[in-house]
Amino acid sequence: MTDKQYIYAVARIRSKELLLLGKSDIDGLMNCKSEKECLRLLYDKGWGTTGNEDSEQILKAEREKTWDLMHEMVEDISVFHTFLYQNDFHNLKAAIKQVYMNSDRSDIFLANGTIDQDIILQAVREHDFSVLPDFMQACAEEAYRIQLETGDSQLSDIIIDKAALDTIYQKGKETENDLLSLYAELKVASADLNIAVRCIKTGKDRSFVERALARCDSLDFYKLTDAIMDGEEALYRYLETTEYADAALALKTSSSAFERWFDDLIMHRIQPQKYNPFTLSPLAAYILARENEIKTVRILLSGKRNNISDKAIRERLREMYV
């Protein structure tokens, strides 16, 4: 896209940002007595489509609206593939499990990937991974073999998850866009720290840890691995030497508290990109803001549905972009 095209697209995004949910909107949803009341309020704000009454349908419709908007404004949607690779690798895991279990379900696949899910499923069924992109072929072959030969779903998933992170990181950095590069960095760092805690709690050995962790500039692969081997306190001490020192408290609290901490960090770090109208960054920031908004609403609706206390729900809610 040219600078002029970005200016037009960013102007449209500015008007869309006015419709994003803010703190007062979230407070209004929190004041609702039930999930059904929340859904009515969301519907009044333009969420969902006619006939959508189920919460997941409404959230799905909102995600589709975001990507429909991007397709309208951007000639080549591949500029946003950094956000979509994870869906591709999820679909690869789903396809391998489907073939392994000889099942036939379409509801386990995610839309808005960079590869048609039918192509992925066909590649697994026919054991012909040459039809997949280069970044997926090797991990698909290895994960498929392990799943079929050993039935070890965890190891199969680890291989695919690691490939997903490596792909997001490499492709995000290759865009040379500040926001996409930042997103890739934070995405991998967040995943690595989640892996670190899980590996400590389940007593994984060094070879497993080294296989699961992805590399990124903001975390030292070897120091992080050593810290995992030495236990939780060593991990927290290592974090104190990184830009994620504040994450230690969240990690000590719970995995959900850590996920919230990192999501809030992303929102905080991308906000300056609002004011850069000559690049795709404000558009990419809007996509992340919408994903954050949808995640927040999902948490809130789930809490209301399951009669979770308002205090417990609020502890999981994310900071909003606006």
Side-chain angles (χ1 to χ4, degrees):
M1 289 178 72
T2 65
D3 287 352
K4 185 176 180 180
Q5 287 172 311
Y6 278 126
I7 292 171
Y8 167 73
V10 171
R12 284 194 66 187
I13 285 296
R14 290 287 175 265
S15 66
K16 294 293 183 181
E17 285 176 354
L18 298 175
L19 301 176
L20 289 170
L21 300 180
K23 184 179 183 300
S24 62
D25 297 305
I26 298 301
D27 288 341
L29 289 168
M30 283 299 303
N31 290 332
C32 291
K33 302 300 182 186
S34 65
E35 180 188 20
K36 189 173 182 180
E37 192 176 329
C38 287
L39 293 175
R40 281 200 300 269
L41 183 56
L42 288 168
Y43 199 75
D44 289 343
K45 291 181 177 296
W47 279 53
T49 56
T50 303
N52 283 153
E53 296 183 358
D54 174 81
S55 59
E56 281 304 315
Q57 287 180 329
I58 288 175
L59 297 175
K60 181 180 179 182
E62 289 307 298
R63 182 170 285 113
E64 289 173 352
K65 286 180 189 178
T66 302
W67 287 105
D68 287 346
L69 176 63
M70 294 302 147
H71 279 283
E72 286 177 25
M73 295 191 304
V74 180
E75 295 172 0
D76 181 7
I77 204 69
S78 68
V79 294
F80 299 124
H81 277 183
T82 304
F83 296 143
L84 301 178
Y85 291 122
Q86 187 153 341
N87 292 348
D88 294 326
F89 286 93
H90 167 92
N91 290 341
L92 175 60
K93 288 197 288 188
I96 289 175
K97 286 180 174 59
Q98 183 153 293
V99 170
Y100 178 68
M101 300 178 70
N102 194 27
S103 64
D104 188 19
R105 291 177 55 187
S106 60
D107 60 340
I108 59 176
F109 294 98
L110 297 177
N112 292 318
T114 71
I115 315 161
D116 189 293
Q117 64 193 49
D118 291 334
I119 292 176
I120 296 176
L121 183 56
Q122 180 183 354
V124 176
R125 280 178 174 163
E126 298 180 0
H127 192 201
D128 178 13
F129 301 112
S130 65
V131 299
L132 299 179
D134 291 346
F135 60 76
M136 186 178 274
Q137 290 178 15
C139 81
E141 175 74 50
E142 185 179 11
Y144 173 87
R145 178 181 57 77
I146 287 172
Q147 181 69 67
L148 267 66
E149 290 181 1
T150 70
D152 190 339
S153 296
Q154 183 186 43
L155 182 55
S156 178
D157 284 353
I158 284 291
I159 290 165
I160 295 173
D161 288 342
K162 168 73 162 26
L165 292 172
D166 287 343
T167 300
I168 290 168
Y169 196 79
Q170 178 186 344
K171 300 293 187 180
K173 297 294 184 179
E174 286 176 356
T175 66
E176 297 184 352
N177 173 270
D178 289 344
L179 188 144
L180 294 175
S181 179
L182 172 65
Y183 168 79
E185 187 70 39
L186 295 178
K187 181 76 174 176
V188 173
S190 171
D192 276 352
L193 294 180
N194 265 317
I195 290 166
V197 172
R198 289 199 301 271
C199 286
I200 290 170
K201 289 183 175 178
T202 55
K204 298 297 184 184
D205 61 24
R206 181 177 288 271
S207 63
F208 183 95
V209 171
E210 290 177 346
R211 186 160 205 175
L213 290 176
R215 295 174 188 256
C216 63
D217 290 341
S218 56
L219 292 171
D220 185 296
F221 178 86
Y222 299 104
K223 290 180 180 178
L224 178 58
T225 303
D226 288 343
I228 294 169
M229 292 298 98
D230 290 338
E232 280 191 59
E233 291 305 316
L235 174 62
Y236 301 143
R237 285 196 299 273
Y238 169 64
L239 277 180
E240 291 295 330
T241 69
T242 74
E243 63 188 80
Y244 308 116
D246 292 343
L249 179 60
L251 279 170
K252 290 177 183 178
T253 303
S254 67
S255 60
S256 61
F258 172 71
E259 288 169 11
R260 173 186 174 175
W261 186 89
F262 238 106
D263 285 345
D264 288 348
L265 176 65
I266 291 175
M267 284 300 101
H268 176 72
R269 297 279 294 273
I270 70 173
Q271 282 179 338
Q273 296 298 333
K274 286 185 189 180
Y275 312 107
N276 192 358
F278 300 105
T279 72
L280 61 85
S281 291
L283 280 67
Y286 178 80
I287 293 171
L288 291 176
R290 283 288 276 155
E291 285 297 317
N292 184 68
E293 181 181 58
I294 291 167
K295 182 184 292 185
T296 299
V297 170
R298 173 178 281 111
I299 290 167
L300 198 154
L301 292 176
S302 176
K304 294 290 183 180
R305 185 187 317 129
N306 294 292
N307 296 313
I308 296 172
S309 71
D310 285 357
K311 181 177 182 293
I313 295 173
R314 285 189 182 278
E315 287 175 352
R316 297 191 61 204
L317 297 182
R318 274 54 174 169
E319 290 185 12
M320 307 311 292
Y321 184 63
V322 295

